[in-house]
Amino acid sequence: MLEIPESLTIAAQLNDTVKGKKIVEVEAAHTPHSFAWYSGEPAFYSQVMEGREIGLSEGIGSMVEISLGEYCFLVGDGGTIRWFEPGGQLPERYQTRITLEDESSLVCSIRMYGAMFLVRPELFDNPYYLAAKQKPLPNTDVFSYDYFRGLFEEASGTLSMKAFLATEQRIPGLGNGVLQDILLGAGLHPKKKIGSLTEVQRRRIYDVVSETLQKMTAGGGRDTEKDIFGRKGRYSVLLSQRTVGKPCPYCGTEIRKANYLGGTIYFCPMCQEV
């Protein structure tokens, strides 16, 4: 799933690979998918996009935004974007194909669920999009400790660490995937209530959020996700489905998993304080 490290990585790759190229053909809704969401009918995409030049791409939270003049094409957190060189073999199943003037293609697919919206940014009132555009990303000057501490002050002390960090778009693009390594690094269990945290623990969380996301982004994303060339990221995640039952990288205790808040959490019962 697209989270901050992947959206930033993919946007940078798109700028290096396809920025400035003209779109010659667009096909939307190629493969039916019950949980692939579009804005308008499939023909709308070809009518608007064909003949336009690809502008700047940006990673905004869990979305990748591709500028197309007064419009933008958005791929949400359940989507993938792949670039295929001229003459490359395209997959049989996908949702949207964008063919460029050099005969290369961008192919967008949805995993379990996701959106591929074509919108005018100033008119698009989707709350996830607005939050991603308006709220600061970690590792920016605006995302200071004072700002982060304010998020705690606005939230109920009964919230768990997972609920605080990965829901309600408090930090757009910080989802359940990157959350696991952050909480391991901070020594806090996903179920720990934020009202019980000390100021030292709050500061530690802030530092670990910034450090972990910087490492993930510098590595081209997590090794559980892929970039536009189909390559896995170079950041090796510490906690994920594949590490369950293996030793914690810090203390050697067996990593466990549990279902919580509609998703799976992974944790070290020794290192992470409840």
Side-chain angles (χ1 to χ4, degrees), residues 26 28-29 35-42 44-46 48-49 60 62-68 70-79 81 95-96 98 108-110 113-121 123-130:
V26 175
F35 297 102
W37 300 303
Y38 306 88
S39 46
E41 296 298 322
F44 171 69
Y45 286 73
S46 58
V48 171
M49 297 174 73
I60 52 168
S62 59
M63 303 178 184
V64 175
E65 180 180 43
I66 304 173
S67 175
L68 300 170
E70 67 269 34
Y71 283 86
C72 71
F73 180 65
L74 289 167
V75 178
D77 67 344
I81 306 175
Q95 274 60 61
T96 301
I98 302 170
C108 305
S109 303
I110 298 300
Y113 62 87
M116 292 161 290
F117 292 138
L118 178 61
V119 298
R120 290 179 180 266
L123 301 178
F124 193 47
D125 60 358
N126 179 284
Y128 292 93
Y129 176 72
L130 294 176

Side-chain angles (χ1 to χ4, degrees), residues 93-145:
R93 300 178 63 83
Y94 58 83
Q95 274 60 61
T96 301
R97 171 181 53 82
I98 302 170
T99 301
L100 306 175
E101 59 186 333
D102 63 355
E103 298 184 354
S104 66
S105 298
L106 291 174
V107 171
C108 305
S109 303
I110 298 300
R111 298 182 185 179
M112 294 183 293
Y113 62 87
M116 292 161 290
F117 292 138
L118 178 61
V119 298
R120 290 179 180 266
E122 73 277 10
L123 301 178
F124 193 47
D125 60 358
N126 179 284
Y128 292 93
Y129 176 72
L130 294 176
K133 293 289 283 188
Q134 295 167 1
K135 294 186 178 182
L137 279 175
N139 295 312
T140 62
D141 291 340
V142 184
F143 195 88
S144 64
Y145 180 61

Side-chain angles (χ1 to χ4, degrees), residues 106-201:
L106 291 174
V107 171
C108 305
S109 303
I110 298 300
R111 298 182 185 179
M112 294 183 293
Y113 62 87
M116 292 161 290
F117 292 138
L118 178 61
V119 298
R120 290 179 180 266
E122 73 277 10
L123 301 178
F124 193 47
D125 60 358
N126 179 284
Y128 292 93
Y129 176 72
L130 294 176
K133 293 289 283 188
Q134 295 167 1
K135 294 186 178 182
L137 279 175
N139 295 312
T140 62
D141 291 340
V142 184
F143 195 88
S144 64
Y145 180 61
D146 285 342
Y147 173 82
F148 187 68
R149 185 168 52 188
L151 298 180
F152 279 104
E153 293 170 354
E154 295 169 0
S156 167
T158 61
L159 286 178
S160 67
M161 284 305 309
K162 174 178 176 177
F164 173 71
L165 286 176
T167 67
E168 301 300 323
Q169 295 294 293
R170 289 181 184 87
I171 307 175
L174 195 165
N176 195 56
V178 302
L179 172 77
Q180 314 296 330
D181 281 19
I182 288 171
L183 291 182
L184 178 62
L188 299 173
H189 194 282
K191 294 184 180 181
K192 185 172 180 63
K193 304 303 182 184
I194 66 171
S196 67
L197 298 175
T198 66
E199 183 66 13
V200 171
Q201 288 175 315

